[in-house]
Amino acid sequence: MAEYGHLTEKEITLFHQGKDFRCYRKFGAHAQGGKGFHFALWAPRVKSVHVIGEFDGWRDGIPMACVDLPGGSQSDIWTCFVPGAIDGMLYKFRIETLSGEVLYKADPFAFFAEKRPGTASRLAGPNTLKHRWNDEEWIKQRKSESHFKKPMNIYEVHLGSWKQHGKNAEDPVFFSYRELAKELTSYVKDMGYTYVELMPVMEHPFDGSWGYQTTGYYAPTSRYGLPKDFKYLIDCFHQAGIGVILDWVPGHFCRDAHGLCRFNGSELFESEEHVEWGTYKFDYSRPEVRSFLISNAIFWLEEYHVDGIRVDGVSSMLYLNYGIDDPAQKRFNHKGGEEDLVAQAFLQELNEVIGRLHPDVFTVAEESTAWPLVTYPPEEGGLGFHYKWDMGWMNDTLRYCALDFPFRDGSHQLLTFSMMYAFNENFILPLSHDEVVHGKCSLIQRMPGDYWRQFAGLRLLLMYQMCHSGGKLNFMGNEIGQFIEWRFYEGLEWFLLDYDAHARHQKFVKAMNHFYLNTPSLWQQNYDWSGYQWLDADNRDQSILLFKRQGKKEDDFTIILLNFQPDTYKEYKIGVPAAGAYREIFNSDREEFGGSNHINPQPLKTKKGVYHGQEQYIEIIVPPIGAVIFAPTLT
């Protein structure tokens, strides 16, 4: 097979067909055995391309040649070799457009970038990239058992504001990847989470975008260290038994001049402006863009051993008129609908490729509409994701929990409606960063009542999430009851743990998380009705929910009662599915958690009588604004 500047004819063909799913191996800048770096860039319809940088003193640059294919056709791919270029040097591409405009662009395939506010790419050779992995046991285990059969309790993290050195909003001193590997890994493990989800780590110019407006899709941000340091962080998570999910943004990119926008002087990577965010949408109809994006997802899975990818803003990709209210501006596809069929096909292909190449990893859709079959296979008309965020549960639940207690009976359906569709998709229940910013208030600040009731309400909210079917996700700070909204420019308020109420709340979250891990009935059958049974969904007068969670074994089940009012009941009868004795195995109202200690300390024997459709019942103490869980006992 003929080679063209280290690219084979087959690779060039596949790239132009949208089928080169590992094109990062040849495009961009690659070290050549200590002799220099080879460069390859896709830039159609331009006069010339030069690579400039520290290796030539940022002068005129090294000219790149456009690859000619057999028959005289041009590939639109520019290549060159720069002898003497070494690991760590800064560089850009100097592109002269057909109109004579000169553009200075960062490398779309760069593996590393200059720290902001600089905008250049940085050459990445072994000194920058190479890491010896020690997560063989994790990968082996990942391949041996499906993620659907494991507990999923996700801690969502923004690396720049989990902790910081000092407090300086003007120039924050971040924890490095290696410092986070020590502190964050041990914290997540100790707290009992099973996954971390990292808000975008791909290089981005503006801290305030939180990473969601990307310029360097293949480069972990230089804010926290080298790419090999980021690999070390992921490796440490895996060795601690923690999976890693990355937020990924294939729906749009920022309009910064050094990035992807107008890359050749006209629209190339983009199709149109995103009306919601002032960014640009990717052009999924262009095969080379599909190669770029799908290859990028594979890159993070293969080069960084990532376990899951959460695709941001899926709804904005799927609808032609997302964010457009003016009827005169609305557009329709050839079938007369508002669906973006090209974006739909891209997502289906993305998930098909990931499933074929890496069947042991998963993808998650942030999709907030009623788009059907998000987690169904493409061959069945689905998008092919493994999970979907349940935004309906999140919105309904937070709306309910913000209601003052006298008004909750009239909105009881907000608690129960999610079970009407709970198994239409494979859901993850999110209490994410989006819910604690922009004036929405922190979770605890939404809770009504005095200080005690607010903490009780937050404990109850988290218990409701934990006992509901589906995966779980909580944003950092929820576990310490932080009252202020999340601020991306400073660390969490860890000093709150010097105060008893916050320390007890963190102790509660830790205990709840470990209880979840050790209670298979709460997660073994998370995604179908075999794991869930209503016992009483309609007690709006007392604002109480009663249901059963079922494990794989017939005698492995839990009975869960959630009381959303500040009332206490001393002899409350609940129907149970089998005669015998039951013991309380968890109670959010325990004194050590900051509660009032309305607990059931002794095993409770069943009595004959029909309650909640069962032929026997037990009498329990119901805590105020609390959750209590029972399991059958042999003693």
Side-chain angles (χ1 to χ4, degrees):
M1 178 70 69
E3 285 197 357
Y4 303 86
H6 290 270
L7 280 157
T8 67
E9 183 180 346
K10 180 180 180 181
E11 288 169 335
I12 292 173
T13 300
L14 288 173
F15 177 74
H16 286 309
Q17 292 175 343
K19 300 296 182 182
D20 188 350
F21 303 133
R22 293 184 175 96
C23 56
Y24 66 87
R25 293 181 176 178
K26 294 294 181 71
F27 284 84
H30 293 267
Q32 303 296 313
K35 299 178 180 179
F37 273 74
H38 179 268
F39 295 82
L41 179 73
W42 174 57
R45 304 183 304 281
V46 299
K47 282 185 180 180
S48 66
V49 180
H50 292 71
V51 58
I52 64 173
E54 291 183 319
F55 41 77
D56 79 328
W58 295 102
R59 293 190 294 272
D60 296 331
I62 312 301
M64 302 180 73
C66 190
V67 173
D68 291 323
L69 296 175
S73 62
Q74 282 197 341
S75 66
D76 295 328
I77 295 170
W78 301 75
T79 67
C80 72
F81 177 75
V82 179
I86 61 174
D87 202 338
M89 283 184 166
L90 298 174
Y91 72 100
K92 279 188 177 182
F93 293 111
R94 180 185 183 276
I95 300 172
E96 185 181 6
T97 71
L98 293 177
S99 65
E101 182 183 8
V102 176
L103 306 174
Y104 293 90
K105 292 289 186 178
D107 183 355
F109 285 90
F111 297 141
F112 196 35
E114 184 180 12
K115 188 175 179 180
R116 55 100 176 94
T119 59
S121 301
R122 195 178 289 277
L123 294 177
N127 291 336
T128 299
L129 298 174
K130 192 173 182 180
H131 169 74
R132 182 177 179 180
W133 290 92
N134 294 287
D135 62 350
E136 296 85 359
E137 286 300 316
W138 169 266
I139 299 298
K140 181 179 178 181
Q141 183 184 42
R142 192 180 76 182
K143 292 180 178 179
S144 67
E145 188 176 16
S146 169
H147 45 85
F148 287 118
K149 298 180 180 179
K150 300 176 183 177
M152 177 173 283
N153 186 16
I154 304 166
Y155 186 60
E156 186 189 23
V157 180
H158 177 258
L159 292 180
S161 58
W162 183 69
K163 282 187 179 180
Q164 290 181 4
H165 294 290
K167 192 171 183 179
N168 184 353
E170 295 299 321
D171 187 19
V173 182
F174 302 118
F175 271 50
S176 70
Y177 290 126
R178 289 189 174 263
E179 289 174 316
L180 290 164
K182 180 180 179 180
E183 295 211 19
L184 180 58
T185 299
S186 61
Y187 179 78
V188 171
K189 179 70 173 178
D190 180 61
M191 288 295 293
Y193 297 99
T194 60
Y195 289 90
V196 290
E197 180 172 316
L198 305 181
M199 292 169 64
V201 297
M202 300 78 184
E203 194 58 79
H204 51 283
F206 177 47
D207 291 1
S209 79
W210 313 336
Y212 291 100
Q213 295 190 17
T214 304
T215 49
Y217 274 81
Y218 288 83
T221 179
S222 55
R223 287 168 174 80
Y224 319 125
L226 301 174
K228 66 180 181 181
D229 299 329
F230 184 51
K231 292 177 182 178
Y232 177 78
L233 172 60
I234 295 174
D235 202 349
C236 287
F237 275 123
H238 285 173
Q239 291 177 60
I242 306 296
V244 178
I245 305 167
L246 291 190
D247 272 13
W248 186 57
V249 191
H252 65 114
F253 57 88
C254 62
R255 57 198 308 146
D256 292 58
H258 68 285
L260 298 178
C261 70
R262 296 187 70 252
F263 197 82
N264 64 343
S266 60
E267 292 182 345
L268 184 63
F269 285 90
E270 66 267 43
S271 60
E272 61 186 355
E273 185 173 334
H274 195 298
V275 296
E276 282 270 297
W277 302 313
T279 53
Y280 287 110
K281 292 184 177 182
F282 278 102
D283 184 355
Y284 308 110
S285 69
R286 198 180 292 276
E288 296 86 355
V289 171
R290 296 198 300 273
S291 285
F292 173 82
L293 287 173
I294 297 177
S295 177
N296 185 238
I298 298 302
F299 167 80
W300 293 107
L301 297 175
E302 294 186 345
E303 300 299 321
Y304 286 83
H305 294 202
V306 168
D307 305 287
I309 291 177
R310 179 259 195 189
V311 180
D312 179 71
V314 171
S315 300
S316 73
M317 300 168 65
L318 288 173
Y319 294 95
L320 292 170
N321 298 312
Y322 184 87
I324 297 175
D325 298 322
D326 184 356
Q329 296 182 19
K330 291 202 179 272
R331 297 166 300 159
F332 302 91
N333 60 42
H334 69 276
K335 297 180 179 181
E338 295 188 48
E339 303 84 1
D340 189 329
L341 301 178
V342 178
Q344 177 185 356
F346 163 74
L347 290 170
Q348 290 173 321
E349 183 177 27
L350 167 74
N351 286 312
E352 185 278 324
V353 172
I354 290 175
R356 174 163 46 86
L357 297 181
H358 297 282
D360 54 328
V361 306
F362 57 85
T363 58
V364 183
E366 187 209 15
E367 207 290 300
S368 57
T369 73
W371 186 284
L373 308 180
V374 172
T375 58
Y376 286 69
E379 57 267 26
E380 297 180 17
L383 294 181
F385 287 95
H386 298 89
Y387 302 97
K388 172 183 175 176
W389 274 19
D390 191 346
M391 312 293 275
W393 172 87
M394 178 197 71
N395 289 323
D396 287 350
T397 301
L398 291 179
R399 180 181 166 195
Y400 178 90
C401 288
L403 292 171
D404 205 353
F405 301 105
F407 307 107
R408 289 187 168 184
D409 59 344
S411 298
H412 191 72
Q413 73 282 354
L414 293 175
L415 288 179
T416 59
F417 181 70
S418 61
M419 291 310 300
M420 297 293 291
Y421 61 85
F423 306 114
N424 292 351
E425 306 276 5
N426 301 321
F427 283 115
I428 291 174
L429 312 181
L431 294 171
S432 73
H433 67 275
D434 277 328
E435 305 317 308
V436 292
V437 291
H438 300 323
K440 295 179 182 178
C441 300
S442 66
L443 292 189
I444 193 168
Q445 203 174 8
R446 295 169 186 244
M447 303 298 150
D450 59 17
Y451 198 64
W452 187 93
R453 290 183 178 189
Q454 285 184 299
F455 274 98
L458 182 56
R459 291 195 302 271
L460 180 57
L461 167 63
L462 298 180
M463 284 295 291
Y464 175 45
Q465 178 193 39
M466 195 62 71
C467 295
H468 198 288
S469 61
K472 333 293 176 187
L473 178 143
N474 264 280
F475 185 54
M476 62 183 200
N478 292 351
E479 80 278 14
I480 63 173
Q482 180 165 302
F483 271 89
I484 65 168
E485 291 188 339
W486 168 54
R487 298 170 177 174
F488 70 88
Y489 48 83
E490 64 183 34
L492 296 179
E493 293 189 327
W494 294 105
F495 67 85
L496 291 173
L497 296 177
D498 294 335
Y499 296 88
D500 186 63
H502 294 273
R504 287 175 183 261
H505 181 73
Q506 186 192 47
K507 184 177 183 179
F508 158 75
V509 173
K510 178 179 176 178
M512 177 188 67
N513 287 347
H514 285 280
F515 170 75
Y516 173 72
L517 292 179
N518 295 319
T519 309
S521 61
L522 294 180
W523 48 263
Q524 278 187 335
Q525 302 189 100
N526 239 344
Y527 306 104
D528 61 72
W529 276 110
S530 58
Y532 193 99
Q533 179 187 351
W534 276 121
L535 296 175
D536 188 359
D538 300 320
N539 189 351
R540 65 175 56 245
D541 292 337
Q542 295 174 303
S543 301
I544 286 177
L545 299 181
L546 181 66
F547 54 95
K548 169 188 171 185
R549 292 301 309 271
Q550 179 68 52
K552 284 287 187 182
K553 297 178 180 179
E554 184 177 354
D555 60 351
D556 182 14
F557 62 87
T558 48
I559 305 299
I560 295 128
L561 184 143
L562 308 175
N563 176 19
F564 288 88
Q565 289 289 350
D567 303 308
T568 303
Y569 304 97
K570 298 293 186 179
E571 296 178 341
Y572 191 90
K573 297 179 177 65
I574 61 171
V576 291
Y582 289 76
R583 61 187 175 90
E584 179 183 285
I585 57 175
F586 200 87
N587 191 320
S588 67
D589 192 50
R590 281 160 52 183
E591 185 177 7
E592 64 187 292
F593 302 150
S596 57
N597 217 40
H598 286 88
I599 62 175
N600 297 270
Q602 302 298 325
L604 303 171
K605 292 184 179 180
T606 58
K607 301 176 182 179
K608 290 185 179 181
V610 177
Y611 284 87
H612 305 122
Q614 311 301 309
E615 295 181 355
Q616 53 279 317
Y617 68 93
I618 56 176
E619 286 185 332
I620 69 170
I621 297 173
V622 174
I625 321 176
V628 59
I629 304 178
F630 296 91
T633 179
L634 299 176
T635 60

